[in-house]
Amino acid sequence: MIWAYPSNGLSIFLFGLFSILYGFYLFRFWRINQRLQVKKRSLAWKLILRSIYFLLFLVALSGPSIGSALKEIKQEGKDIFLAIDLSQSMNAQDINPSRLQRIKFEMKNLVKNFSSDRIGIIIFSSEAFIQCPLTFDQNVIQLHLDGLNTNLVPNYGTDIASALNMAYQKFQNENDQDNTSKAIILISDGEDFGDNLPPVLEKLSEQGIRVFSVGVGSEEGATIPRGNSVVMDPQTNRPAITRLDATNLKAIATKTDGAYFEISDIAMEIPQLINAIERLEGTVMASRMVEASANKYFYFLAAALVLALIDLMLPLRTISI
C-alpha cells in the first residue's frame, strides 16, 4: 500500500488528541455516574467502536493507494511569437516610465504564465529581425526582454507587415506545420508606414494564426526623446507628437480572429490578454506513460461514516436504572 499524503506527525497528533479528549470524556462519565450502575462491558464496546472509526478517518486522511495502472501523461503547448515595436516612438513617456520600459515589464510577467509553451521574440521598426527563436527556456526569453532598446533596429519608420510576415515564415519553417496552436502577440503604438498588410493578414488567417494586438500609448500622445532633446517634425519644425493609433491594430486582430488590448495609464488589459492566450487549445508536444496508483481513501471514509452513524443512531445502553 502507498500513501498519497503521508504525515506521521499529523496522524500521531490527531490520535493523541483523540486519546486525551476521549479519556477526559470517560473520566467525566465515570464521575457523574459513580453512584449509578454502569455497564462496563457496554462502555468498552462504545470505546472500541469509536476508536475503530476514528482510525479509519486517519487512514482515509493519509490517502491509501492500492494497486497501480499505466496512465498517459500528455504535455500540451502553443507556439507564441512576441512581435515588439522598437521604433523611436516607443521611447515616448506618455506611459510611465516609458512605452518600451512598461512593455518590457509586462511581457516579462506575461511569459511566466506560459512555461509549457514555446515563445519567440521578433523586433521590428522599418525592418524585422528574430531576437529570440521559439524556445521553452524562460531564462533566455527574460534575458532578451531585458536587453530590448530602440537602437537594436534601423529606424526609418514602422512597418508592422514585416514583423507579421517574419512570424508567418518562421511558423511555416517549423516541422509541425499542422499545429494550429500558433499565435502572435503584436505590441506597437499603431503607427504604420508600410502598405503590405492585407496579403500578410490573408495568409495568417488561412493558416489559423491569430494575432493578439496590444496598443501602447495614449490618445493625447507625447514627444519623442532623443538624447537631451526631442525629435522634431521637419514639416512644422516643432516637436513631433506620437499618439496611439488603435485603428490598424484593431483591424489586424479582427481579420485574424484575434483580439485587441491596450496598455496605458488608464487601461491595463494584460490580464485579459493572458486569459485569451490561455483559452487557445494547446497542441500535444509530447506524451509519456507513467505508473500511477489509485487512491482508495473513499472506502475507508465510507466505512468510518457508517460506523459513526451506527454510533449516533443506535447508542449502546451504558446505564441500568
Side-chain angles (χ1 to χ4, degrees):
M1 182 180 293
I2 301 174
W3 304 99
Y5 311 105
S7 179
N8 294 332
L10 179 61
S11 299
I12 294 173
F13 170 76
L14 292 177
F15 183 77
L17 182 63
F18 170 79
S19 300
I20 293 173
L21 294 178
Y22 203 78
F24 177 76
Y25 163 78
L26 291 176
F27 176 75
R28 185 170 180 272
F29 181 88
W30 186 268
R31 288 290 302 271
I32 293 175
N33 296 280
Q34 57 183 334
R35 294 188 178 183
L36 302 176
Q37 185 178 357
V38 178
K39 289 189 175 182
K40 298 181 180 179
R41 181 180 299 177
S42 297
L43 192 61
W45 278 113
K46 184 179 287 289
L47 173 62
I48 293 173
L49 178 65
R50 292 178 176 175
S51 298
I52 290 174
Y53 68 70
F54 180 79
L55 289 174
L56 288 174
F57 278 130
L58 287 182
V59 172
L61 180 65
S62 299
S65 299
I66 303 173
S68 62
L70 291 177
K71 183 178 180 180
E72 184 180 11
I73 303 297
K74 296 181 178 180
Q75 180 182 355
E76 294 187 353
K78 299 175 282 291
D79 286 347
I80 304 170
F81 263 119
L82 305 179
I84 303 176
D85 186 353
L86 291 185
S87 58
Q88 290 294 327
S89 60
M90 295 300 287
N91 289 325
Q93 297 176 350
D94 50 351
I95 300 178
N96 291 323
S98 72
R99 294 177 182 178
L100 181 56
Q101 292 302 320
R102 176 68 69 86
I103 283 301
K104 290 166 65 173
F105 173 78
E106 297 296 344
M107 290 302 102
K108 288 177 67 176
N109 289 330
L110 179 142
V111 298
K112 293 177 182 178
N113 291 273
F114 302 102
S115 58
S116 62
D117 302 317
R118 292 197 304 175
I119 298 177
I121 301 175
I122 294 175
I123 56 177
F124 70 96
S125 180
S126 54
E127 299 179 50
F129 302 89
I130 289 289
Q131 179 74 356
C132 177
L134 291 169
T135 179
F136 289 107
D137 195 330
Q138 292 266 321
N139 292 328
V140 170
I141 298 169
Q142 296 285 350
L143 183 63
H144 282 291
L145 288 172
D146 275 331
L148 293 180
N149 64 81
T150 56
N151 296 321
L152 294 176
V153 293
N155 273 279
Y156 304 109
T158 305
D159 186 3
I160 293 176
S162 64
L164 297 180
N165 190 56
M166 176 162 286
Y168 172 80
Q169 292 176 356
K170 293 301 179 181
F171 281 142
Q172 291 300 104
N173 291 337
E174 293 294 315
N175 294 327
D176 54 342
Q177 294 185 15
D178 293 332
N179 178 10
T180 58
S181 299
K182 295 184 174 72
I184 302 171
I185 300 177
L186 173 65
I187 305 157
S188 175
D189 53 23
E191 295 179 337
D192 182 24
F193 301 96
D195 54 2
N196 298 318
L197 264 178
V200 176
L201 296 181
E202 184 176 351
K203 291 190 296 184
L204 292 173
S205 180
E206 289 176 353
Q207 294 297 319
I209 302 173
R210 298 185 182 185
V211 179
F212 297 88
S213 52
V214 181
V216 187
S218 64
E219 294 182 357
E220 296 78 13
T223 57
I224 305 172
R226 176 182 286 174
N228 295 326
S229 183
V230 296
V231 175
M232 302 298 292
D233 187 339
Q235 296 180 352
T236 63
N237 202 28
R238 293 182 178 180
I241 302 296
T242 173
R243 297 180 174 85
L244 171 62
D245 183 0
T247 304
N248 277 334
L249 298 176
K250 290 180 179 179
I252 292 170
T254 300
K255 291 180 181 179
T256 58
D257 197 25
Y260 172 76
F261 304 93
E262 197 165 295
I263 296 178
S264 67
D265 283 339
I266 60 174
M268 180 52 61
E269 298 179 343
I270 291 299
Q272 292 90 322
L273 170 61
I274 293 173
N275 291 335
I277 298 295
E278 288 178 339
R279 285 195 296 269
L280 291 179
E281 183 178 355
T283 299
V284 177
M285 299 291 190
S287 63
R288 56 192 176 95
M289 302 299 293
V290 298
E291 186 174 352
S293 56
N295 193 336
K296 305 295 185 181
Y297 79 94
F298 177 79
Y299 298 104
F300 295 90
L301 180 61
L305 291 175
V306 169
L307 293 179
L309 288 175
I310 292 175
D311 184 29
L312 292 174
M313 298 175 63
L314 300 174
L316 298 173
R317 187 176 180 186
T318 57
I319 303 176
S320 296
I321 299 178

